[in-house]
Amino acid sequence: ALKLATKAVAKDEHNTAAVLLRGLTLHHLRKTEQALEVLEAAALEAPQDFAAQYFYGWVLCENRLYGDALAPLKRAYAIRKDHPDLLVLLARCCIEQNLREGVSYLQALRRFPSFRDSPELYNGLALLWLGELDYEQALENLRIAHQKAPRNAAVMQNLAVLYDQYFHDPVQALRYYRYCLAESQRVDDRQRSASVQRRLRAM
């Protein structure tokens, strides 16, 4: 694929689709620096091309460069606002950087049936509200996430931490830590189990 994409670009270096294909094949071959160089060039040359902005932002996210990813993803959003995977990437960038604007991207995702009942969506909203020090909104969204996925260990751990560190309610905190520990052990999530056990011993 890389050989063919490189030939296509050699024939027409301004063909955005060919340049994107070359960048994506480089990414999949783990040639990260080259991939980002190629995709950045495509994004700069075609600022109004949705795919050029989206895929550059996506590969930046894949490499955990969330701060850099926001600019091309926002340009993609200005072109097209109804793309659920783009909203997920924008929300992820905001959560990683604790940016309030992520709330609007997550709320927009609720329009799509595949995300409406996603516990991750409400868990993400809770984390963003927590960053804004709005503990009641964080709790409300974590409760919704817990209702939608009662056995989700990450949600239970976040509920436990919220009650423990922010509401100073050890009774509720212990309850959710214990639920989280049981579920973590059931799925053999040793890292989460160890973390929860340490906190339980301390309490």
Side-chain angles (χ1 to χ4, degrees), residues 146 150 153 156 173-184:
H146 186 50
M156 287 188 280
L174 283 167
R175 176 186 171 207
Y176 284 107
Y177 277 132
R178 286 170 180 151
Y179 288 158
C180 176
L181 179 60
E183 186 59 24
S184 300

Side-chain angles (χ1 to χ4, degrees), residues 35-177:
L36 288 173
E37 204 173 283
V38 169
L39 292 168
E40 181 183 20
L44 289 172
E45 184 160 316
Q48 296 305 313
D49 187 290
F50 175 82
Q53 305 307 316
Y54 173 80
F55 284 114
Y56 179 41
W58 175 71
V59 172
L60 285 166
C61 282
E62 287 288 288
N63 288 282
R64 304 182 68 81
L65 298 169
Y66 302 110
D68 295 334
L70 263 181
L73 291 175
K74 282 183 177 180
R75 287 195 293 269
Y77 184 68
I79 299 163
R80 184 176 171 187
K81 293 182 167 57
D82 62 344
H83 194 286
D85 291 337
L86 171 61
L87 290 168
V88 168
L89 290 177
L90 282 163
R92 185 177 169 195
C93 289
C94 292
I95 290 169
E96 291 290 339
Q97 297 175 92
N98 197 27
L99 300 174
R100 165 101 185 250
E101 63 191 277
V103 171
S104 62
Y105 300 129
L106 285 169
Q107 288 175 335
L109 273 170
R110 290 190 291 195
R111 298 197 313 265
F112 302 93
S114 57
F115 289 96
R116 196 172 297 137
D117 291 322
S118 165
E120 289 79 14
L121 187 153
Y122 294 95
N123 190 61
L125 281 168
L127 293 175
L128 288 169
W129 285 120
L130 189 58
E132 290 292 306
L133 308 182
D134 191 332
Y135 305 137
E136 292 297 337
Q137 282 278 13
L139 179 59
E140 181 183 341
N141 280 282
L142 282 174
R143 282 176 172 164
I144 295 170
H146 186 50
Q147 286 167 6
K148 292 184 180 299
R151 301 186 78 169
N152 186 307
V155 171
M156 287 188 280
Q157 186 175 19
N158 286 340
L159 274 164
V161 170
L162 187 63
Y163 279 117
D164 184 8
Q165 304 293 328
Y166 298 94
F167 286 113
H168 307 292
D169 184 340
V171 174
Q172 288 283 43
L174 283 167
R175 176 186 171 207
Y176 284 107
Y177 277 132

